[in-house]
Amino acid sequence: MKYLKIVPMRLSAGLLTACLLLAGCGASTEREEGSQTVSAGSQIQAAEEGSEDTSADSSPLKNAEHSIPDHENGYSDETVMPEETSETEQGSDSENSDTAGTSAAALSEEEKENLRSQLLIMQDYDRYTYANMLTDTAVLLQLYPDLFTQDSIGVTADGRELVHYVVGNPAASKQIFINGAIHAREYLTFQLVMKQMCVYLQHVDQGDVWGSLTYRDMWDQVAIHVVPLVNPDGVQISQFGLDGIQNESIRDGIYQLAANDGTDVTAYYLDHWKANAVGVDLNRNFDAYWEYYAGTGYPSSDHYKGDYPGSEPEAAALIRLTESNQFLYTISYHTQGQVIYWNFENIDPVYDLSAQWVSRIAAQTGYSPINDFSTVDPAGYSDWAIYRHQIPSVVIEVASGDSPYLASQFQQIWQENLNIWELTVEEAMLYR
């Protein structure tokens, strides 16, 4: 059987999409249930079943062809990021605003549906991967070149880009931030946030309506910053074990981390990995009572806060992103508990600004809001956003039980979190 050899290179989105078309990744579709959306075109469609991706490769080409098996330790030497649309291709901010909802006008409806059917996030994957995300980004750039942008806000210890998207008018005065999978074994949240983004983009493109608002107006007035996968190295470990790590010294270092934890490098140990690749719990690496959090005191698969706040490239990237923008709200998706954490030190005016928003999230999800911050470990991203920048911020904990969660739970989680983007955008438009 032949193997596909991946070589380091930078591909245009057009060339990568052509590869996807040749790979024949299409699938049949079904209607999305439970949304408040009234479609001006076809309803949002989801591909029914896709092949499970078992590759630890960071190259989008590898995952474009499901029929090609893994080659031995098959990694690209560097992450291949889809190219951004040039400034000339995108047009001015005002032009972007005028064209919201008609971004792929040059494509026929049949061509759009063909591209949408190739989106891996809309298929029933047992585990959605970093490589899948890069593949989907290239397809999205073909579908919606004027509706979103993507770039890198940092590079991890194992050489993966921290992919950042902006969905909305770049000139919008109001901005929000949504992130997922800062903890490795909670990678189901990465899949959730990516699907939320894809569905939201399609609503905008089709000119749909949500409640009293059009998606075009929401796109024009509020820019949504998205980092679906804050901890790509850790997710690789949780999904693929040692084969998920490209750097040999980092791979060897995991044995030392296991020794620190008093255990062996077992499948269970790797499946339940929470930290980044060098043993820092990224959600304990922010300057919000960091000094009071004890944790393990040494690099570990879990609960080590790092040498100092923002010591890790992933945490530092979120700090830079937040401090270079003016977010009105932030949402951090985690797993375990079906609860919503939203308060830190009863800080004014954040407490009052958050109350209505949190109650709406609770009504949508059915999750319980938790006001008592003293029962939760500090030094997380949302703690820092509230404490240092007075930004209303929530941690939405999806699912119940032990992480990582089974893919069979995803549909319930998806239904519970429908329209969280929309209601947050509405809060920003009407009340801030």
Side-chain angles (χ1 to χ4, degrees):
M1 184 175 291
K2 293 184 178 179
Y3 292 79
L4 177 66
K5 183 178 181 181
I6 306 300
V7 295
M9 59 188 301
R10 185 172 178 85
L11 297 175
S12 69
L15 179 56
L16 183 48
T17 302
C19 294
L20 290 170
L21 291 170
L22 290 173
C25 295
S28 60
T29 58
E30 63 183 5
R31 292 181 182 272
E32 195 77 54
E33 300 293 338
S35 173
Q36 300 179 34
T37 301
V38 179
S39 177
S42 62
Q43 294 291 322
I44 294 297
Q45 295 174 319
E48 289 180 343
E49 291 187 3
S51 303
E52 178 184 0
D53 173 71
T54 57
S55 170
D57 198 328
S58 62
S59 168
L61 279 177
K62 179 69 180 300
N63 282 272
E65 294 217 34
H66 301 301
S67 61
I68 296 173
D70 293 335
H71 52 291
E72 183 177 358
N73 296 327
Y75 310 113
S76 62
D77 293 333
E78 60 183 41
T79 300
V80 181
M81 287 282 291
E83 289 183 355
E84 290 188 85
T85 307
S86 69
E87 183 177 349
T88 302
E89 291 170 325
Q90 288 180 349
S92 67
D93 292 340
S94 60
E95 288 170 341
N96 283 340
S97 176
D98 292 341
T99 58
T102 59
S103 63
L107 297 174
S108 69
E109 284 304 315
E110 183 178 358
E111 288 170 326
K112 288 182 183 180
E113 287 307 314
N114 182 43
L115 284 170
R116 288 183 186 122
S117 72
Q118 296 170 36
L119 287 169
L120 304 177
I121 191 61
M122 304 304 287
Q123 301 176 23
D124 294 330
Y125 266 55
D126 285 345
R127 54 187 176 187
Y128 187 74
T129 70
Y130 178 82
N132 293 155
M133 177 182 67
L134 297 185
T135 303
D136 279 347
T137 299
V139 178
L140 290 169
L141 286 169
Q142 291 293 301
L143 271 168
Y144 313 120
D146 299 320
L147 297 184
F148 83 106
T149 61
Q150 61 83 28
D151 62 2
S152 171
I153 58 172
V155 180
T156 67
D158 201 38
R160 293 181 180 85
E161 304 283 350
L162 297 173
V163 183
H164 163 244
Y165 305 91
V166 180
V167 177
N169 180 5
S173 61
K174 297 181 176 182
Q175 303 174 17
I176 63 178
F177 176 49
I178 300 172
N179 69 84
I182 197 170
H183 285 148
R185 64 194 182 203
E186 301 175 17
Y187 54 78
L188 205 64
T189 62
F190 157 45
Q191 183 176 353
L192 173 63
V193 174
M194 276 299 292
K195 186 170 182 179
Q196 287 174 325
M197 184 176 77
C198 287
V199 169
Y200 189 89
L201 281 167
Q202 187 172 345
H203 283 313
V204 176
D205 183 61
Q206 294 178 164
D208 292 341
V209 176
W210 187 76
S212 62
L213 301 174
T214 69
Y215 278 87
R216 296 184 188 185
D217 285 343
M218 290 192 284
W219 181 95
D220 189 55
Q221 295 186 39
V222 181
I224 307 172
H225 292 252
V226 190
V227 180
L229 180 51
V230 176
N231 185 8
D233 291 354
V235 168
Q236 287 288 114
I237 294 171
S238 184
Q239 290 183 334
F240 301 109
L242 292 177
D243 288 340
I245 295 299
Q246 302 173 124
N247 184 290
E248 185 176 354
S249 64
I250 292 176
R251 200 180 309 128
D252 291 343
I254 290 174
Y255 287 94
Q256 181 58 54
L257 297 180
N260 292 348
D261 291 332
T263 188
D264 296 323
V265 180
T266 63
Y268 181 89
Y269 179 72
L270 298 172
D271 285 346
H272 289 73
W273 194 270
K274 190 175 183 181
N276 68 359
V278 296
V280 176
D281 184 335
L282 296 175
N283 210 41
R284 299 291 166 259
N285 196 225
F286 293 88
D287 188 13
Y289 290 7
W290 179 90
E291 64 274 23
Y292 301 124
Y293 177 68
T296 62
Y298 52 81
S300 167
S301 68
D302 192 356
H303 293 309
Y304 175 58
K305 66 181 182 179
D307 292 336
Y308 54 88
S311 63
E312 302 310 294
E314 301 92 340
L318 295 194
I319 292 168
R320 288 193 304 270
L321 180 67
T322 304
E323 292 183 340
S324 61
N325 292 282
Q326 295 182 340
F327 298 141
L328 297 179
Y329 299 102
T330 81
I331 298 173
S332 300
Y333 271 107
H334 290 249
T335 63
Q336 199 161 344
Q338 295 179 315
V339 296
I340 305 163
Y341 297 109
W342 64 280
N343 183 27
F344 189 79
E345 281 292 337
N346 300 317
I347 292 175
D348 290 327
V350 178
Y351 190 94
D352 291 336
L353 289 172
S354 300
Q356 175 177 293
W357 174 50
V358 171
S359 68
R360 294 186 68 188
I361 294 174
Q364 166 63 46
T365 59
Y367 303 162
S368 300
I370 293 182
N371 184 31
D372 186 0
F373 61 89
S374 66
T375 63
V376 183
D377 291 335
Y381 170 77
S382 62
D383 304 329
W384 171 82
I386 294 170
Y387 186 56
R388 296 297 180 184
H389 295 284
Q390 292 74 56
I391 304 170
S393 300
V394 295
V395 170
I396 302 178
E397 298 269 4
V398 305
S400 59
D402 188 30
S403 298
Y405 290 94
L406 298 175
S408 59
Q409 294 180 269
F410 182 77
Q411 283 307 313
Q412 177 183 338
I413 293 168
W414 170 251
Q415 292 297 322
E416 291 166 346
N417 287 273
L418 278 175
N419 305 130
I420 295 301
W421 285 37
E422 287 87 344
L423 69 84
T424 302
V425 169
E426 183 180 49
E427 287 287 319
M429 289 175 64
L430 300 181
Y431 306 112
R432 293 296 304 274

